[in-house]
Amino acid sequence: AAVENGADAIFFGLDRFNARMRGQNFTVADLPELMAYLHERGVKGYVTFNTLVFANELADAEDFLRSIISSGVDAAIVQDVGVCRLIRRLSPDFPIHASTQMSVTSEAGVAFARELGSSVVVLARECSLAEVAPIRRKCAEAGVEVPIEIFVHGALCVAYSGQCLTSESLGGRSANRGECAQACRLPYELHADGMQVELGSRRYLLSPQDLSGLDAMPEIIAAGVATLKIEGRLKSPEYVAAVTKVYRQALDAAWLQANPELEAPRASTPADFDRERGRYALEMTFSRGLHTGWLNGIDNQQLVHARFGKKRGLRLGVVKSLERDGVLLELEAPLKAG
């Protein structure tokens, strides 16, 4: 679904050492066929080796990494500093991408990731676009040239990426070991000064809306971001297809507007991207509500509406009255029988 809708690269997990252990992950035995499929279509494949590794697991981690390196995988996305050093001990040039869970938020973090051997740095999702350009500039001034990657769509954690211990402390399932129980998506009570605060319908106090960078595409390009990353694991193929297609078209259209002297990136690039139709497609697949996250800075009251923590369909309009055989609805979106 991702390949057919314009992705340049795919990231996926194996059956150990990845941050989505609940998913139906690939195995080491799948890698040769999978990588052949991707490479035949000009697409790269990255393995997510993005959990923290304990000392007693290092031998298993080394075996896994040897298999990954020898199978033609294009890079490993890594959180653990020790794993970066282990990869470099096994291979002098196998590409390492610093995961967003490494919580890199500054030029010092980028430089440190570069020292560990990272050729790409995925910034923490908490970074704003206003911070990205200075990070890139200061890195360049210091002679540290590393492509910057950011997430543009998908679920947001209430905690810093890679730093949440809520799931582990409440239920013994560590988010840093791929077992997050999503405690942030549950309803909570609020107590202040010994008194319970009446919340009404706003009980999902720790559940951010989903990230959507669609409206910020020109600013993303202007900030010098090299790669857009879409969170699509534990989602349906229909979700992956729709979201990939929307961002492929939005990126190509914004790139052409920013660089009119260049040729179209692809033959399928639309002359003018319909942002409203794109947003509609995103909301129809999976959405806890869509927000620019921290891309435009901090606005927590907008980011966390607190009214629901799971998927909610598209807003159709306002119920004007309840009738005997149905409801009278003032429409704000298209509707048809079925």
Side-chain angles (χ1 to χ4, degrees), residues 317-328:
V318 178
V319 175
K320 304 304 290 185
S321 64
L322 300 179
E323 307 294 331
R324 179 177 176 179
D325 298 319
V327 297
L328 187 64

Side-chain angles (χ1 to χ4, degrees), residues 315-320 328-336:
R315 177 183 172 89
L316 287 178
V318 178
V319 175
K320 304 304 290 185
L328 187 64
L329 187 65
E330 186 176 302
L331 285 176
E332 299 175 8
L335 183 67
K336 63 181 180 181

Side-chain angles (χ1 to χ4, degrees), residues 88-168:
R88 272 297 157 266
R89 199 178 76 192
L90 297 174
S91 170
D93 56 2
F94 180 72
I96 300 170
H97 293 186
S99 170
T100 189
Q101 290 165 280
M102 203 179 274
S103 296
V104 174
T105 59
S106 67
E107 63 275 10
V110 174
F112 178 63
R114 188 74 185 91
E115 290 173 13
L116 292 171
S118 301
S119 56
V120 172
V121 174
V122 187
L123 290 182
R125 281 178 265 203
E126 298 73 33
C127 287
S128 69
L129 290 174
E131 295 170 306
V132 173
I135 288 173
R136 288 188 63 253
R137 186 185 70 252
K138 292 176 183 178
C139 285
E141 291 171 354
V144 180
E145 292 288 350
V146 183
I148 297 296
E149 188 171 308
I150 67 168
F151 271 94
V152 291
H153 196 89
L156 287 174
C157 303
V158 71
Y160 266 95
S161 303
Q163 306 299 318
C164 184
L165 298 174
T166 309
S167 179
E168 182 180 39

Side-chain angles (χ1 to χ4, degrees), residues 199-314:
L199 297 173
S201 63
R202 297 168 62 92
R203 296 188 59 214
Y204 294 86
L205 302 177
L206 303 180
S207 181
Q209 297 185 71
D210 289 342
L211 169 64
S212 173
L214 192 63
D215 293 339
M217 197 62 68
E219 292 81 4
I220 291 171
I221 292 174
V225 172
T227 314
L228 310 186
K229 191 166 185 176
I230 295 169
E231 187 243 353
R233 298 164 68 199
L234 297 182
K235 296 291 199 304
S236 69
E238 292 80 11
Y239 169 93
V240 173
V243 177
T244 304
K245 183 177 182 179
V246 167
Y247 279 94
R248 174 80 273 164
Q249 293 180 344
L251 173 60
D252 288 351
W255 181 263
L256 281 175
Q257 289 180 357
N259 303 276
E261 73 283 1
L262 300 180
E263 293 184 5
R266 293 165 188 261
S268 60
T269 298
D272 54 335
F273 173 70
D274 189 330
R275 191 171 294 176
E276 288 303 313
R277 286 179 65 89
R279 187 177 180 88
Y280 177 82
L282 297 177
E283 290 180 330
M284 284 293 285
T285 54
F286 183 100
S287 168
R288 298 181 181 91
L290 298 178
H291 191 268
T292 51
W294 291 280
L295 291 177
N296 292 330
I298 297 171
D299 190 340
N300 292 328
Q301 294 298 316
Q302 289 294 319
L303 178 61
V304 181
H305 55 59
R307 289 186 169 85
F308 51 88
K310 296 183 179 180
K311 175 183 175 180
R312 179 66 60 99
L314 188 74

